[in-house]
Amino acid sequence: MTVYNDILSAKAESKKLLAILIDPDKFDIDLTSQFIDNVHKSIATHIFVGGSEVQVEVTQHLVFKLKSLTDLPIVLFPGDVTQISKDADAILFLSLISGRNPKYLIEKQIEAVSYLKPTNLEVIPTGYILIENGKETAVQKVTKTQPISNVLHQLVADTAKAGELLGKKLIYLEAGSGALHPVPLAMITAVKQDLTIPLIVGGGIRSKKQLVDAYNAGADLVVIGTAFEEDQDFFNQIKKTKIG
């Protein structure tokens, strides 16, 4: 079964998913084994790998190391084509549909084709929507696009639905790495009501309560990254017990 079909099956069964996001530029590869031990003890179901600005070859080395230590799906969440690794299981083929910079709507995707052809990566078309969180994020700086205001719930819901109608298989609401505020719960609910495809939510989630709240609001898969970078004890909050 493919990564995407696993996500679909979980959605159909109302099983909530959790991805741990690793930014290769901020991760000490020497601590990979210890990190994976913690992941395996947690409710995490996926590992996402990627960042806004990552040095060439760093992602490849990290993914290779991760694959030797875990059977969890390794999914690329790339900020650039240089982050494509043939050893991962899948790639979120992102289109930044909240922005209007053609470079991140289609040009980077065209550039990625020659990198993807020699691989067996499962390519998952994903509508990526950046939500204002109280501070400028790395995604804003790199893409030179503005996030959608966190009070414009209907605009975000319409943008997400447009992504689905365009053929995206996933919608990803992103407050950004280190976000001061996560995606508003009412916004998650508004988006979920209009979608038939799975909804991913990430950015600014730093506690078990916020994780559960995002699930209850409608997120099918939540992505957490900064919480683990800043608080290693967070793993203790999400040990393998029923949640949500």
Side-chain angles (χ1 to χ4, degrees), residues 135-147:
K135 75 170 190 177
E136 186 180 34
T137 64
V139 176
Q140 286 176 249
K141 293 176 183 177
V142 171
T143 65
K144 296 179 173 59
T145 66
Q146 292 300 309

Side-chain angles (χ1 to χ4, degrees), residues 171-183:
I171 293 296
Y172 193 142
L173 298 184
E174 170 74 288
S177 177
L180 297 181
H181 311 291
V183 177

Side-chain angles (χ1 to χ4, degrees), residues 78-225:
D80 192 77
V81 295
T82 57
Q83 296 175 39
I84 294 175
S85 166
K86 63 180 177 59
D87 293 314
D89 297 297
I91 180 171
L92 299 184
F93 201 56
L94 303 169
S95 182
L96 186 59
I97 59 176
S98 59
R100 298 297 180 265
N101 184 347
K103 186 174 182 180
Y104 292 92
L105 279 167
I106 186 61
E107 291 176 13
K108 281 290 184 180
Q109 292 78 5
I110 295 170
E111 185 181 347
V113 171
S114 60
Y115 290 82
L116 292 170
K117 278 183 177 179
T119 77
N120 292 315
L121 285 170
E122 177 187 349
V123 179
I124 308 174
T126 304
Y128 188 50
I129 303 175
L130 190 61
I131 307 300
E132 187 273 325
N133 80 86
K135 75 170 190 177
E136 186 180 34
T137 64
V139 176
Q140 286 176 249
K141 293 176 183 177
V142 171
T143 65
K144 296 179 173 59
T145 66
Q146 292 300 309
I148 299 178
S149 168
N150 60 15
V151 300
L152 298 179
H153 298 184
Q154 191 58 52
L155 176 59
V156 173
D158 289 347
T159 302
K161 188 63 178 181
E164 178 181 355
L165 295 174
L166 281 167
K168 306 304 181 188
K169 293 184 176 181
L170 297 171
I171 293 296
Y172 193 142
L173 298 184
E174 170 74 288
S177 177
L180 297 181
H181 311 291
V183 177
L185 299 178
M187 179 178 286
I188 297 172
T189 299
V191 171
K192 181 66 172 181
Q193 287 174 345
D194 278 350
L195 285 183
T196 63
I197 58 176
L199 176 61
I200 301 175
V201 176
I205 296 174
R206 292 183 172 84
S207 71
K208 182 177 178 179
K209 181 182 184 306
Q210 288 179 317
L211 174 62
V212 173
D213 286 346
Y215 285 146
N216 290 338
D220 297 299
L221 188 156
V222 170
V223 181
I224 297 181

Side-chain angles (χ1 to χ4, degrees), residues 17-23 35 39 43-44 46-49 77 172 174 176-178 200-212 214-215 221-231 234-235 237-238 243:
L17 304 174
L18 174 65
I20 308 300
L21 172 61
I22 302 175
D23 185 334
F35 182 85
V39 171
I43 60 169
H46 296 73
I47 297 175
F48 284 9
V49 179
F77 175 50
Y172 193 142
E174 170 74 288
S177 177
I200 301 175
V201 176
I205 296 174
R206 292 183 172 84
S207 71
K208 182 177 178 179
K209 181 182 184 306
Q210 288 179 317
L211 174 62
V212 173
Y215 285 146
L221 188 156
V222 170
V223 181
I224 297 181
T226 302
F228 299 106
E229 296 166 8
E230 297 179 350
D231 180 12
F234 191 76
F235 276 116
Q237 298 182 42
I238 57 166
I243 186 170

Side-chain angles (χ1 to χ4, degrees), residues 16 32 39 47 52 58 70 74 82 87 160 179 190 214 216 234 240:
K16 300 300 185 179
T32 307
V39 171
I47 297 175
S52 296
V58 172
T70 184
I74 308 296
T82 57
D87 293 314
N216 290 338
F234 191 76
K240 285 185 177 176

